[in-house]
Structures are given as C-alpha cells and as structure tokens.
Amino acid sequence: MEKKRKIVGLCGSLRKDSYNAKLLKEAGSFIPEDIDFEIVGFNDVPVYNGDIDIPEVAERPESVNKFRDALATADAFIISSPEYNFSIPGGLKNAIDWASRGKDAPLMHKPVALIGATQGMWGTVRMQTAFLPVFTFLNMNPVLQPEVLIAQAQNKFDENGNLTDEKTLSLIKRKVENLISASKV
C-alpha cells in the first residue's frame, strides 16, 4: 500500500489569535483530501544550544525530537509567518535551526511554500526575502509564485477568523497547487 502524502504547516506566530495561524488554516483548506495536512507547533522547543545537541550529547531534548519527527513525515511544507524587525520571527528561526542540524535534517531537499500576513503595509516581503538564504542552505525547493504577502491583515479576516479577500484566496489556492506540483504530492 502506498504511503499517503503529507504537507506540514508551520506558523511563525505563537499568538493565540494570530492572523498567520488563520492564514495557514486557509491554505490547508485548499489541500486535496487525498493528502494529509498537519500544523506542527514548536512552543516547547528550547533555544538552540549546541551543548545540548548531537554530537555533544547522545540525544536531543525530547521536545526537539518530537518536533523533528513530525517534520520528517512531511513531503512538503507551508510556512505562514509574520515579519518581526524586517525578518524571520526568532521563535520560528530557532525551530528551523533545530530542524536543520545533522544528516537526518527533516527539512532538507523538500519543497516549501512561504506565505505571510501582517497588519502593516509591506505584507511580510522582508521576512520572505530573509528566508531565501535559509532555503538555500537547506537545499529546499521554494515555491516562489505567486507571492502571498498580505498587508493590513486586520481588514481581510472576518470576526470568525475567515479570510474574506477573494483575490488573496485565489493567490493562496494557486500557491498550494504549485507546491503540490513541485512536490509531486
């Protein structure tokens, strides 16, 4: 029996009512039913410290192992993130640092779609640009088109957390389709 394909989502915001968490769920709604979709959290992953990583220790912290194991099940990734200080949020970058270590790094060589929402005017363009060297180091296959850079997110979601902007929904749908095509998922 053939393994069911899977896309894993990561949210760069840890806020309870995050626009990017809502955006990630919207993206997941465009994934066909024959492909699994799981959003993986990293709230309990400690700050990266080489002294508690392999080979300095025999085993990584349990929360890191759990996070890496969840990522290892993915055929492709969707990352939805805000922009902090013109770059990648520290918590997300830290989680990616843990997932990028070792020969068994679960992000290596996999397709990734990056989307983002912000209340500001630039729509996460700097954060998305900041990810390019990370994707290069990990030899990931970033799906660059179409760009999903949601500015003034507070005006594009309703009170139930649903994205209401039809143009943006169309872009997200195409981005997910392109990710699936790039990953042969």
Side-chain angles (χ1 to χ4, degrees), residues 87-151:
S87 194
I88 303 166
L92 177 59
K93 179 63 169 70
N94 176 67
I96 288 171
D97 288 344
W98 273 110
S100 67
R101 303 293 192 238
K103 293 179 182 175
D104 63 339
L107 298 171
M108 297 290 285
H109 312 290
K110 293 184 181 175
V112 60
L114 184 58
I115 58 180
T118 181
Q119 293 185 30
M121 295 295 292
W122 286 88
T124 71
V125 68
R126 291 180 183 116
M127 174 277 297
Q128 294 198 26
T129 302
F131 254 112
L132 293 177
V134 176
F135 295 154
T136 299
F137 175 80
L138 293 169
N139 201 21
M140 295 183 88
N141 178 18
V143 175
L144 301 175
Q145 297 296 324
E147 292 178 311
V148 179
L149 310 159
I150 302 173

Side-chain angles (χ1 to χ4, degrees), residues 18-84:
S18 162
Y19 290 115
N20 282 283
K22 295 171 188 176
L23 178 58
L24 190 55
K25 287 178 186 172
E26 286 285 352
S29 74
F30 292 111
I31 296 172
E33 289 183 14
D34 62 334
I35 299 171
D36 285 333
F37 178 62
E38 177 185 8
I39 297 173
V40 173
F42 51 87
N43 296 21
D44 58 349
V45 171
V47 173
Y48 183 79
N49 178 345
D51 290 342
I52 59 172
D53 195 5
I54 297 171
E56 297 300 318
V57 294
E59 190 171 328
R60 295 177 174 107
E62 182 56 34
S63 61
V64 172
N65 287 333
K66 183 179 170 187
F67 177 67
R68 288 172 59 98
D69 289 348
L71 297 183
T73 66
D75 297 293
F77 298 95
I78 298 174
I79 299 172
S80 179
S81 181
E83 178 176 296
Y84 291 175

Side-chain angles (χ1 to χ4, degrees), residues 127-174:
M127 174 277 297
Q128 294 198 26
T129 302
F131 254 112
L132 293 177
V134 176
F135 295 154
T136 299
F137 175 80
L138 293 169
N139 201 21
M140 295 183 88
N141 178 18
V143 175
L144 301 175
Q145 297 296 324
E147 292 178 311
V148 179
L149 310 159
I150 302 173
Q152 298 185 328
Q154 69 276 17
N155 300 325
K156 297 188 178 166
F157 290 87
D158 66 20
E159 62 278 350
N160 297 318
N162 299 308
L163 186 60
T164 58
D165 185 75
E166 291 300 322
K167 182 177 180 183
T168 303
L169 286 166
S170 174
L171 290 172
I172 295 166
K173 183 176 189 273
R174 285 186 19 232

